[in-house]
Structures are given as structure tokens and as C-alpha cells.
């Protein structure tokens, strides 16, 4: 069952598959929702019983024994209702947090696996604002809806059985509230989408501005960039205020309806249509309903924010390629990758058929790619097996892109200029492609990449345990490139991909790179504006436009 289907609480009309989210009611979460429903029904029944006891207290005036019994029963009802509310909050939070944890993991995996490059600001906005909107609906929207509707329906039904006038006095404002909430739901959704669209644009602007900090400062563009951020920020403010106009109407209606119900009960009592004891019970129920009505206004707001967030998150979650991503993180060690094999690269035709190869290379051969940078980057992605639906990278007849990532990373090592390093210790970063390798193997790979391991251990703040952050700080650009090269050659994969890596290396690093490529037993494919620094005698392949 998915949260987008109307058959379950918290559901939504079936939309395009691209916008669907992972199933909500799976595993323990279905028991959490069942517990919410049980607690809600129990609270509704006990609340009605408490209201009836309040009337009995007034009717039993003068009978000490009857009053004592009613007081004890009413006190028990209060304790039960309070316990149900407490339990509802805990169960709802567990339900929401568990679902959001799954979405957060899937969203990050989708971002990492996708061939599209996304702004860090947009990704952060999705993992905070949009996931918060989903959590609010699941954890704070479904629960009040499940708890509130039974309470309102049971209360109005009981009052109608006792007096048609009381049922009408309380039911009419509730029906009017339902109409107002339905009327404002559409505008609330549209304005929630607009806020998210503008907020995402602002997040991308801020992230890109921070990333280009040095370029902006040295070019004297701080004022210009701040004006652009200010302009986008003002659009967010305007959109948020426009959304508040609608959400304010939702909350105003949800506050006014129970007040009108209480006033209606008072009018019915003043006209002598019911006894004072029954009027007291009705007023108590109107107060209990009032708290639920206030929540219903927020529920509509949470619901529309959830729908807007789903339209953003759903396509991202559903566009990531499948493959063997689930095998990531399985230690493979520095296992031998087998005998070097011929590499073939081709675009895929209609139906996934492999067209005539654009590149063929034998073990021990170095191939230099020449062409537009964007096309070269696309070809490197295909060679690494990261675009299996558009390109075929064949190694000894095996389609690298269709292999589990555990096997794929053992076959292909890649390093490129200006690539950021993930957060973690230095040695972890070197071993990242082959997580089961030893420290000695990692240090040997660093030495092969031209690193002076003695100087690194001496100069870095915590030696090999130094934490790398912000893309590789505190390493220099050349040291980061050496880490990438060491990671790529660890385990001697049959294919080594080097995308303009020499541009980041210092003189010692370029010398080590040249020596490594000259003796590398597998296929080396590289791009460089100065091929003599990598492989002077390499065969040149021109990448078509």
C-alpha cells in the first residue's frame, strides 16, 4: 500500500508513477497505523462517555453516592484520554520518523546514482524542507485525522440521539468547516508548490555562491551576488506570505467552527430544548471537538505541503537506475581482478542493442581522448559503466554497466581533475574503492601516485587519521589528485580512467603518473591538454561531436 492511494489513511489519489513514493504501510509501520486507529477510536468513545458522566454529575446533585461514583468514573475517563493522547504522539512520531529515514536514504542514493548533476543546495533543501513536509503529514497529519474524525462523528451521532437540536447545533458548524477546508485545499496546494519552487532556487543560488566564494571575492562581485540572493530571497518571502493568507484562513475556520458549535449548544439550552445536564455534556463535547478542529486546519496545510513535496521528491526517487547499487559497502578486499582483458566502448541503439564500438583498447595500451570536454566527460561516464542505458562498456565481453557495483569497482579505477573527496579519514579515502584493503596496500598505492608518505604523515594534523572535509581539506590540490590516483590504481583494476588528472598534479606527481602509465598492465584511457605529461606515445582517439 502506498501513501498516495485513497484506500488508506494518509492516502492520496493515484497520480503519475513518477510522483509515487515508497510504500508507507510496510513492516512495523502498518502496526503503528493500526495502533493509531485503535487509540483514536478509544479516545473518541471515552470522550463521549466522559461528557455523559459530566451530565450525570449535574443530574445527580443531592445524591452523595451517585456523585462519588460519577466523579470516579469521570476521573478515570480523563486519565484514559490523556494516556491515549500521549501514546498517539509517540506512535505517530515513530511512524513519521521511520518513513522519513527510509526516504532520506533513498533520496541520497538516488542523487549519488543519478547521471544528472544536481545543485548541493537543491539536494539539501529536498532532504530538509521537503522531507520535513512529508514527516509533518505522516507524523502530525495522519494521526489527528485518524483521531479527530471518529471523535467528531461519534460525538455528533450521540448528541443527535439525545436531541436533534443538539446534533444540528454541533453538526452544522462541522459541515460548514468541512466545506471551507475543501474550498481552500486547492489554493493551499498551489501556493505550497510555489514556495518550494522559489525556496529551491534560493538554496541553489546560496550553495553556488558559497562554492564560488574565492572567484567572487577576487573579481569584486560580492555586491552583485548579494543583490541576486536578496532578489531570490524576496521572492521566497512573497510566496510564503501568499501561502500564509490561505493557511491563515484554514486555521481561522478551524477555530471558529467549535466556537459556533458551543454557541449553538447555548442557544438550544436557552430555548429550553434540552435539560441543563444534557447541555453541560454537549458543551463538554464541543470543547473536546474544538481541540480536534484546530488540528484539522493544520492537517489540510500539512496535506497540501506533502503533496507539493511529493511532486519534487517522487521523480528524483524514481529516476535512479537500478543495477547492483545494493551491493555497495560490501568489503571486497584487494582481490585480484583477473587477467587483463580487452576494453570496448559503444553507444546503445534502440532496444538496448550495442552499436559498432567507438573505442577498442588492448591490455597495456594507453589511449588519449581528444574532443569537446562535455563529450569527453560523457564518454568517461560510459566507460566507467555509470550510464548503462545509453552506453556499453565491455570488458572481455562482459557489460560493465550491468554488473553489481562490487564487481564493477574492482574492474574500473577512475580519477579526474577537481574531483571532491568524501568526508572521512585520509586512509579511508585511499581505500574507498577497495574498502577491504590494508593500510600497507593503501600507502603503497599512495607512493606509486608520487606521494611522499613520510612527509604526509609528518605534516598532516593527525597523520593518516586526518579527517578530510569540505571536499578534501586540508590537502592541497595536488595531494587530492594523488589520493584519487592512489584510489584508482589500488588493486590494479583492468581499466584505468584518468580525466585531465595531470592538471591538478605538481611536477613530482606528473612524473609519477607518467611512470605509472608507462608500466600499467591494463588499459589506460586518459584526457589531457599536455599528453606528454601522461603518455607521450599514446594512441589518440577523437571523440565525435
Amino acid at each position: 500500500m502506498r501513501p498516495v492511494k485513497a484506500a488508506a489513511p494518509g492516502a492520496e489519489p493515484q497520480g503519475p508513477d513518477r510522483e509515487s513514493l515508497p510504500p508507507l504501510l510496510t513492516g512495523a509501520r502498518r502496526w503503528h497505523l493500526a495502533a493509531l486507529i485503535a487509540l483514536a477510536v478509544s479516545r473518541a468513545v471515552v470522550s463521549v462517555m466522559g461528557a455523559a458522566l459530566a451530565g450525570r454529575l449535574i443530574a445527580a446533585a443531592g445524591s452523595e453516592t451517585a456523585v462519588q461514583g460519577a466523579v470516579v468514573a469521570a476521573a478515570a475517563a480523563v486519565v484514559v484520554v490523556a494516556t491515549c493522547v500521549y501514546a498517539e504522539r509517540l506512535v505517530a512520531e515513530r511512524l513519521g520518523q521511520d518513513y522519513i529515514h527510509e526516504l532520506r536514504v533513498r533520496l541520497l542514493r538516488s542523487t549519488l546514482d543519478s547521471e544528472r548533476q544536481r545543485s548541493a543546495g537543491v539536494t539539501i533543501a529536498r532532504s530538509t524542507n521537503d522531507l520535513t513536509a512529508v514527516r509533518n503529514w505522516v507524523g502530525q497529519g495522519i494521526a489527528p485525522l485518524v483521531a479527530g474524525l471518529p471523535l467528531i462523528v461519534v460525538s455528533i451521532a450521540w448528541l443527535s440521539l439525545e436531541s436533534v437540536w443538539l446534533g444540528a447545533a454541533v453538526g452544522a458548524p462541522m459541515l460548514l468547516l468541512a466545506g471551507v477546508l475543501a474550498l481552500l485545499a486547492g489554493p493551499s496546494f498551489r501556493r505550497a508548490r510555489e514556495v518550494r519552487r522559489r525556496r529551491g532556487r534560493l538554496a541553489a543560488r546560496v550553495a553556488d555562491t558559497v562554492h564560488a566564494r574565492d572567484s567572487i571575492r577576487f573579481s569584486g562581485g560580492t555586491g552583485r551576488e548579494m543583490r541576486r540572493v536578496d532578489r531570490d530571497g524576496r521572492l521566497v518571502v512573497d510566496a510564503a506570505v501568499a501561502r500564509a493568507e490561505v493557511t491563515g484562513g484554514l486555521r481561522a475556520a478551524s477555530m471558529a467552527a467549535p466556537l459556533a458549535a458551543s454557541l449553538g449548544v447555548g442557544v438550544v439550552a436557552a430555548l429550553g430544548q434540552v435539560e441543563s445536564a444534557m447541555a453541560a455534556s454537549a458543551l463538554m463535547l464541543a470543547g473536546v471537538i474544538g481541540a480536534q478542529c484546530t488540528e484539522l486546519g493544520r492537517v489540510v496545510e500539512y496535506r497540501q505541503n506533502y503533496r507539493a513535496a511529493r511532486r519534487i521528491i517522487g521523480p528524483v526517487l524514481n529516476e535512479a537506475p537500478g543495477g547492483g547499487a545494493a551491493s555497495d559497502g560490501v568489503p571486497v578486499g584487494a582481490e585480484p581482478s583477473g587477467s587483463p582483458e580487452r576494453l570496448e566502448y559503444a553507444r546503445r541503439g534502440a532496444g538496448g542493442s550495442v552499436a559498432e564500438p567507438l573505442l577498442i583498447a588492448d591490455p597495456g595500451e594507453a589511449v588519449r581522448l581528444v574532443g569537446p570536454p562535455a563529450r569527453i566527460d560523457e564518454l568517461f561516464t560510459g566507460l566507467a559503466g555509470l550510464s548503462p542505458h545509453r552506453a556499453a562498456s565491455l570488458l572481455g565481453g562482459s557489460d560493465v554497466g550491468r554488473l553489481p557495483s562490487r564487481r564493477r569497482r574492482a574492474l574500473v579505477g577512475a580519477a579526474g581533475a577537481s574531483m571532491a573527496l568524501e568526508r572521512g579519514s585520509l586512509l579511508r579515502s585511499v581505500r574507498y574503492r577497495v574498502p577491504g584493503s590494508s593500510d600497507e596496500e593503501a600507502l603503497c598505492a599512495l607512493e606509486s601516485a608520487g606521494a611522499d608518505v613520510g612527509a604526509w604523515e609528518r605534516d598532516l594534523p593527525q597523520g593518516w587519521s586526518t579527517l578530510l572535509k569540505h571536499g578534501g581539506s586540508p590537502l592541497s590540490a595536488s595531494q587530492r589528485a594523488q589520493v584519487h590516483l592512489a584510489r584508482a590504481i589500488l588493486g590494479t583494476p583492468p581499466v584505468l580512467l584518468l580525466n585531465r588528472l595531470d592538471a591538478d598534479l605538481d611536477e613530482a606527481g606528473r612524473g609519477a603518473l607518467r611512470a605509472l602509465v608507462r608500466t600499467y598492465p591494463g588499459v589506460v584511457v586518459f584526457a589531457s591538454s599536455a599528453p606528454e605529461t601522461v603518455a607521450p606515445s599514446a594512441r589518440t582517439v577523437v571523440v565525435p561531436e
Side-chain angles (χ1 to χ4, degrees), residues 418-423 468-475 480 484:
S418 303
M419 289 176 65
L421 291 168
E422 65 289 333
R423 188 182 184 92
L468 303 184
K469 50 188 177 181
H470 306 307
S473 177
L475 300 182
R480 297 180 195 185
H484 279 296

Side-chain angles (χ1 to χ4, degrees), residues 30-188:
R30 65 184 64 182
W31 296 110
H32 294 151
L33 186 61
L36 275 180
I37 295 174
L39 289 168
V41 173
S42 299
R43 180 154 67 95
V45 172
V46 174
S47 296
V48 173
M49 292 174 59
L53 288 170
R56 286 186 60 187
L57 275 172
I58 296 176
S63 173
E64 184 176 346
T65 302
V67 169
Q68 289 177 349
V71 167
V72 171
V78 170
V79 172
V80 171
V81 169
T83 302
C84 288
V85 171
Y86 175 77
E88 282 174 20
R89 184 69 187 93
L90 291 182
V91 175
E93 188 67 18
R94 169 62 67 180
L95 175 66
Q97 290 294 345
D98 186 78
Y99 188 56
I100 288 305
H101 175 70
E102 178 184 345
L103 287 185
R104 186 183 298 113
V105 171
R106 291 196 181 203
L107 180 62
L108 183 56
R109 176 176 291 280
S110 175
T111 301
L112 293 176
D113 288 346
S114 176
E115 297 176 30
R116 295 176 54 191
Q117 180 71 28
R118 293 190 177 90
S119 165
V122 172
T123 302
I124 293 172
R126 286 171 178 161
S127 61
T128 52
N129 296 331
D130 293 327
L131 288 186
T132 297
V134 177
R135 181 187 64 82
N136 285 342
W137 165 243
V138 174
Q140 301 180 48
I142 294 178
L145 192 63
V146 170
L149 290 182
L151 175 60
I152 294 173
V153 171
V154 170
S155 299
I156 294 176
W158 180 70
L159 290 175
S160 298
L161 290 175
E162 295 292 333
S163 168
V164 175
W165 292 101
L166 284 179
V170 177
M174 297 301 108
L175 289 176
L176 183 60
L177 172 62
V180 173
L181 295 182
L183 183 66
L184 295 180
S188 176

Side-chain angles (χ1 to χ4, degrees), residues 244-541:
E245 294 174 355
V246 177
T247 57
L250 290 171
R251 298 192 182 188
S254 62
M255 288 286 291
L259 293 177
S262 298
L263 180 60
V265 171
V267 170
V268 170
L271 294 176
Q273 298 297 322
V274 294
E275 298 178 354
S276 58
M278 190 61 215
S281 296
L283 286 174
M284 181 177 176
L285 270 184
V288 174
I289 291 175
Q292 293 301 318
C293 289
T294 302
E295 292 293 333
L296 288 180
R298 295 192 181 96
V299 165
V300 175
E301 179 183 348
Y302 292 151
R303 172 64 174 173
Q304 304 314 316
N305 286 339
Y306 157 75
R307 291 181 59 207
R310 193 193 67 181
R311 289 217 172 179
I312 297 173
I313 298 174
V316 177
L317 293 178
N318 292 315
E319 76 175 12
S327 62
D328 279 344
V330 180
V332 297
E335 61 185 42
S337 55
S339 59
E341 299 167 295
R342 166 175 285 195
L343 172 67
E344 299 182 29
Y345 173 82
R347 292 197 187 97
R348 291 193 185 276
S353 60
V354 179
E356 182 179 351
L358 302 175
L359 183 151
I360 299 178
D362 292 313
E365 185 178 7
V367 178
R368 179 198 176 200
L369 301 180
V370 177
R375 296 289 295 122
I376 290 178
D377 291 344
E378 180 182 333
L379 194 144
F380 270 112
T381 301
L383 285 169
L386 300 180
S387 54
H389 302 292
R390 295 189 292 112
S393 181
L394 306 178
L395 190 58
S398 298
D399 193 336
V400 177
R402 303 296 172 86
L403 297 175
S405 61
R406 178 181 183 274
R407 180 59 178 159
R408 185 173 65 243
R409 68 187 184 218
L411 297 176
V412 180
S418 303
M419 289 176 65
L421 291 168
E422 65 289 333
R423 188 182 184 92
S425 70
L426 174 55
L427 278 185
R428 176 183 182 271
S429 187
V430 176
R431 296 195 305 261
Y432 197 77
R433 189 180 61 83
V434 190
S437 57
S438 65
D439 291 352
E440 290 74 16
E441 290 169 324
L443 294 178
C444 182
L446 268 178
E447 285 185 322
S448 298
D452 184 345
V453 294
W456 282 39
E457 185 175 18
R458 181 181 64 252
D459 297 339
L460 290 173
Q462 285 84 38
W464 302 118
S465 299
T466 297
L467 178 66
L468 303 184
K469 50 188 177 181
H470 306 307
S473 177
L475 300 182
S476 66
S478 179
Q479 288 174 324
R480 297 180 195 185
Q482 288 172 323
V483 170
H484 279 296
L485 180 57
R487 172 192 295 186
I489 64 176
L490 189 60
T492 317
V495 177
L496 181 61
L497 307 177
L498 306 173
N499 191 0
R500 298 183 286 271
L501 183 69
D502 56 302
D504 284 350
L505 291 169
D506 57 19
E507 189 60 37
R510 286 193 290 270
L513 176 63
R514 187 164 51 249
L516 189 151
V517 172
R518 185 173 62 250
T519 60
Y520 197 76
V523 176
V524 178
V525 181
F526 72 95
S528 172
S529 58
E532 66 278 358
T533 65
V534 182
S537 59
R539 174 165 61 94
T540 299
V541 173

Side-chain angles (χ1 to χ4, degrees), residues 155-240:
S155 299
I156 294 176
W158 180 70
L159 290 175
S160 298
L161 290 175
E162 295 292 333
S163 168
V164 175
W165 292 101
L166 284 179
V170 177
M174 297 301 108
L175 289 176
L176 183 60
L177 172 62
V180 173
L181 295 182
L183 183 66
L184 295 180
S188 176
F189 170 62
R190 291 190 293 272
R191 298 193 183 187
R193 287 195 65 191
E194 183 66 14
V195 169
R196 270 166 171 71
R197 185 178 67 83
R198 294 186 177 182
R199 187 181 289 159
R201 182 177 299 173
L202 175 63
R205 173 83 66 193
V206 171
D208 292 344
T209 300
V210 172
H211 186 69
R213 170 181 175 271
D214 292 338
S215 175
I216 293 170
R217 292 180 65 206
F218 281 102
S219 300
T222 301
R224 278 175 289 167
E225 295 305 316
M226 289 306 301
R227 285 192 292 272
R228 298 175 76 185
V229 171
D230 179 73
R231 181 190 63 212
D232 287 348
R234 292 289 179 186
L235 292 176
V236 173
V237 170
D238 293 342

